[in-house]
Amino acid sequence: MLNSITSAEIMLSTGLALVVYLVCLLSFKDRRKMLKTYSVLAVLIYSFVLVLLPMWIDYQVKERIDTLEVHLEDRFPGEQFEVIRSDYRMYSPTGLHYIDVTFDNEPNREYKYSVSSDGEVMQLWYYPRDADFDSEGKFAE
């Protein structure tokens, strides 16, 4: 299932391609062929980006998960944890991606981390699933 950002991108690009094609059909004959070529080229380039962008984002997030796992193993040696990539797609000007971590010793509390493009790991917040909000988590940084 596509998320809302991807669906909006596909609808927008399809709408723009149709507008460009209609402009091509309504233009003068001497420019029509050139405009059709440009519109087809633009649609092909954007389709290529739509295919490659999710693969590039997945690669980047995988690298950041690896960085986070190394950080957690250094920070909390001997602890077992599960790293879960957030299901939502997020664009951030700072290059942050959010990653959820649950430790085996504290299964009722979830920690949210971000890893920047330069490898800086930050714990953003943590929240209990069924636990007390007032108590600080064992793995709070």
Side-chain angles (χ1 to χ4, degrees), residues 82-102:
E82 180 182 9
V83 177
I84 303 165
R85 176 182 173 184
S86 298
D87 290 336
Y88 55 89
R89 187 170 120 189
M90 178 171 286
Y91 291 114
S92 170
T94 59
L96 299 175
H97 294 275
Y98 299 106
I99 304 165
D100 299 329
V101 176
T102 304

Side-chain angles (χ1 to χ4, degrees), residues 61-136:
V61 171
K62 173 69 173 117
E63 291 291 317
R64 291 170 192 212
I65 287 174
D66 292 343
T67 302
L68 175 62
E69 287 176 346
V70 168
H71 170 79
L72 292 175
E73 288 168 359
D74 290 344
R75 180 93 164 100
F76 307 110
E79 295 292 338
Q80 298 295 316
F81 54 86
E82 180 182 9
V83 177
I84 303 165
R85 176 182 173 184
S86 298
D87 290 336
Y88 55 89
R89 187 170 120 189
M90 178 171 286
Y91 291 114
S92 170
T94 59
L96 299 175
H97 294 275
Y98 299 106
I99 304 165
D100 299 329
V101 176
T102 304
F103 289 89
D104 287 351
N105 290 353
E106 217 173 19
N108 59 349
R109 192 175 300 267
E110 192 168 283
Y111 295 85
K112 188 154 303 269
Y113 286 87
S114 76
V115 181
S116 65
S117 57
D118 62 351
E120 181 184 355
V121 177
M122 294 174 284
Q123 186 183 77
L124 301 175
W125 67 84
Y126 57 92
Y127 57 92
R129 292 188 184 136
D130 298 327
D132 183 16
F133 272 99
D134 294 333
S135 66
E136 186 172 282

